[in-house]
Each structure stands twice: as C-alpha cells, then as structure tokens.
Amino acid sequence: MKSFLFRCYMTLMKFLARFTTMEDNEIVILNGSGRSGSNGYLFYKYLQLNHPEYNVTLIEPWPSSHFGWKVWQKIGAARYIITTHQPFKVRKHQINVQFWHGVPLKRMGIMANNTKRRDNRRNEKLWHKYADIVCSSSDLYETLMSACMAIETKKYHKVGFPRLDALKNPVISKEQLLKDLFKVEDKDAQIGIYMPTFRYELNDPKIMERIKSGNFFAFDDFDIEKLNSALKERQQYLIVKLHPYEMRMFSNFKSKYSNIAFLNNDYLFDHDCDLYELLGDTDFLITDFSSIYFDYLHLNKPIVFVTNYLKQYEKTRGLLIGPYEDIIPGINVNSQRDLISNLDHLDNRQLRNLRLYWLNLTDQVNADSYCDKIFDFMTKGY
C-alpha cells in the first residue's frame, strides 16, 4: 500500500513540476547513494568548483516524499537531470544522465534470483522511457547492465564515472585519517578498509546476529582481540565501513581496539566528503561481493575477498560472473585464520597482473578527468 501511495505522489508531483519554465543552465542531481562512492555527490562538487555558469542543485536522499514544492520546481526547471539509481525526469525535453552506482557484479533486475517479474518490467520501461545518456566505462559494463535492465545499446556512452576521479585525490591526508580514526601517528602504517555488500538480503538470522554482536566479518572463528593483535604486530590499521543498515544493528558502535575503527556517514558529512575521497589513503581493501573492487583496481593495491557466505549469496541473489574464485584478482579467505595468515603477503606479481587485466576489462575510457569528459559530452556532444 505504501509503495502504491508513493507512486501516486510521484506521479502527481511530476505532473505539477512540468508547469515550471525550463532553464538551459539548470542542473539537478538526484542522489540516492549517500556518501559511499556517490557519482552524484562527487559530480555536484565538481560542477560547483569548475562550472559556476551552471546552477546545480543536489537533492538527497532520493527518492523521498518529504520534499517541498520549491524542490520540485527545481526539478521541473532543470535542463539536465542526473540520477544514481533509476532514471527520472518530468518532461520530454529534459536530458537524463544516468550514472548508476557501481559496476554490477551481483545479479539485479531480470537476472536476479530474488526479484519479481512485475517490478522488473516496470524498471525496464523506466530505463527505456527516461534514460538519455547512460554513462559507461567499458563493453563489459554495458553487457552486464543490459543483461539486468534491458538497456538499449544506443543509450550508452563511454565517458566513465565521477567517482573514479576521487580515488587518486584524497581530500584528507593519510596522517590525518590515522589521527582522526585511530588517535595515532605512525609513518609506517598500512591502512586497510573492509567494505562488504548489503548482507541483509541473505535473509539469514544467524549472519545478522553475528553482525549485531560485533562480528562484522560473520566468521565462524571471529575473535576481535586476536584480530586486533595481529594487525598491531604488523602496523596495520583496519577501517570497517559497513552498510548503514548494518551499522544501526551494532549494540556497541564505538571500537575500543587500537587498530580497528568504524567509519560511519557522520565522519563523511562532517568533513564534507565522500568515501572515495579517502580511499586513496588506504593500502588494501577487504570486501566480499561489493562492486567497489572494480573501482579499487584503479589504485592497483591489494584486495582480499571474504567468501564465507558465497554459496548462500549465489543461491539467494546470484552473481553475474563466475566461477567467483576465477574472477577475483586477490586473496580469497573464508575464516579469520585465513585472513590473519595472509596479512604478511597480501600482494605478488601474479595478483598485480590480474588486477591490471580486470582494470583493462572494466575501464576502456582511462581519462585524466572523467568529470570533464562527462560534462563536455552532456553539454556539447549529446
């Protein structure tokens, strides 16, 4: 019932917004990605800094039923509507630029094991009707997206993604990040970051209970004291960045451990930055099935893949590429014992070659500035 009423609300507001006069220098960014690799937010910052001739409005979180009429007037007046999730616009002559929010590794849309045909058909119609420019990074990206969303090939344009510009230009130094999160100065420190995918959809109370108790890896043999000691011995520091839903589950959010710290959105908002503007400070990534690993390839740094609930995830939702062990350019661990035993040798020549191989597959643009390329195309080339 709630979703039906929300669709009615959106339909009404879209209709009313059409009566606003459209202006060629108005850009609206509908950001549904928060501060974790948000193409929308990062492009907003770029436009404010580099293109003051345009009036740019960031609307977040999107979608929402809590926006006032002035917000909808902005949407109606915009020549360009930029989205990070479903494509959207209120009038025919607006241009929708679709960033999306990651190179798809997990199945979604018509390819997923846990979606409904009715919802999939609705999404297909939205992409067909509203998406004008679908930003792309490679043939592989286009193949994966179209497999899930049935997007026509003519909509794709290889211009890359704003989040890729942020990776190599941290806005906070590594030294400051260590002070802020770990209260230390350590010139020989290695910083790792753990970023798993959204695990709630596994629909497994056991996993959720483990996470709630502080076992953020959901390992059978999890022992945070031993993990912290192992990190401390190696001058390694681990930032834990979970999905916001999982962070809310924690009974004790603040870490009392010297080499493990939790990063939440408050820190990112307080520093007016996106997570990707900090990733360049890190020395290795730990993830599971999150597509962040495709982006992290641009840093050419070690990646560790946690696979203790791989089979369950493949059954519940599914992955687009496999076998999983053959597509990951990094170390595969399924227990804390495995993880600790690999902390001393996270990288080697074979893994570096694998990372470059997958980088070439997932990014054929390789631009000095992806934001410049996107801006020029949408305002001059389309």
Side-chain angles (χ1 to χ4, degrees), residues 10-11 13-15 17-18 22 28 30 62 72 75-76 78-83 86-98 126-133 155 382:
M10 293 291 284
T11 300
M13 299 310 292
K14 284 169 63 176
F15 174 76
R18 292 173 190 166
M22 191 169 70
V28 161
L30 306 178
W62 178 265
W72 282 100
I75 294 173
R79 173 65 170 166
Y80 303 95
I81 303 284
I82 296 172
T83 49
Q86 287 180 333
F88 182 89
K89 58 184 180 181
V90 302
R91 59 209 315 169
K92 181 178 180 181
H93 296 294
Q94 289 179 318
I95 297 174
N96 173 252
V97 181
Q98 172 57 246
L126 289 173
W127 283 89
H128 177 75
K129 184 176 182 180
Y130 294 128
D132 298 303
I133 299 171
K155 293 183 181 291
Y382 179 70

Side-chain angles (χ1 to χ4, degrees), residues 145-321:
M145 285 293 291
S146 287
C148 297
M149 301 296 188
I151 304 167
E152 301 99 317
T153 186
K154 65 182 179 181
K155 293 183 181 291
Y156 291 110
H157 299 279
K158 289 185 178 66
V159 290
F161 307 109
R163 65 180 181 267
L164 299 179
D165 286 335
L167 283 173
K168 296 183 180 180
N169 299 292
V171 296
I172 296 174
S173 69
K174 183 175 181 178
E175 292 74 19
Q176 188 61 48
L177 193 62
L178 279 169
K179 288 180 182 179
D180 289 346
L181 299 183
F182 300 96
K183 314 301 181 190
V184 298
E185 295 183 18
D186 187 344
K187 61 182 178 62
D188 297 318
Q190 283 188 319
I191 300 178
I193 185 165
Y194 173 52
M195 291 187 61
T197 193
F198 182 44
R199 293 171 286 187
Y200 180 74
E201 64 185 337
L202 286 171
N203 196 26
D204 187 332
K206 181 180 178 181
I207 290 177
M208 291 299 104
E209 282 301 316
R210 285 181 175 180
I211 295 170
K212 186 177 180 180
S213 70
N215 180 355
F216 44 82
F217 283 117
F219 283 147
D220 290 338
D221 62 344
F222 184 75
D223 185 327
I224 196 166
E225 296 276 3
K226 288 183 179 179
L227 177 60
N228 188 73
S229 296
L231 293 167
K232 190 173 183 179
E233 289 173 11
R234 296 161 174 82
Q235 290 180 274
Q236 294 173 334
Y237 298 82
L238 182 63
I239 299 171
V240 179
K241 178 66 175 75
L242 304 180
H243 188 279
Y245 177 84
E246 294 184 1
M247 295 303 288
R248 289 195 296 269
M249 292 175 58
F250 266 41
S251 54
N252 182 15
F253 177 71
K254 294 185 180 295
S255 171
K256 62 181 180 180
Y257 299 97
S258 60
N259 291 57
I260 299 171
F262 295 101
L263 179 66
N264 66 5
N265 285 337
D266 291 344
Y267 182 88
L268 301 173
F269 277 96
D270 289 345
H271 290 79
D272 192 26
C273 68
D274 183 89
L275 176 66
Y276 271 50
E277 295 178 289
L278 306 180
L279 281 183
D281 291 330
T282 65
D283 297 284
F284 61 93
L285 167 70
I286 304 176
T287 187
D288 49 10
F289 322 117
S290 171
S291 63
I292 187 177
Y293 96 76
F294 288 122
D295 294 338
Y296 203 79
L297 294 172
H298 288 78
L299 296 175
N300 197 18
K301 295 178 180 180
I303 308 173
V304 178
F305 294 89
V306 176
T307 58
N308 52 314
Y309 38 86
L310 171 61
K311 290 183 179 179
Q312 188 174 352
Y313 201 90
E314 287 179 323
K315 181 179 179 181
T316 303
R317 179 166 174 175
L319 301 175
L320 287 167
I321 316 174

Side-chain angles (χ1 to χ4, degrees), residues 44 70 271:
Y44 169 73
K70 287 186 178 180
H271 290 79

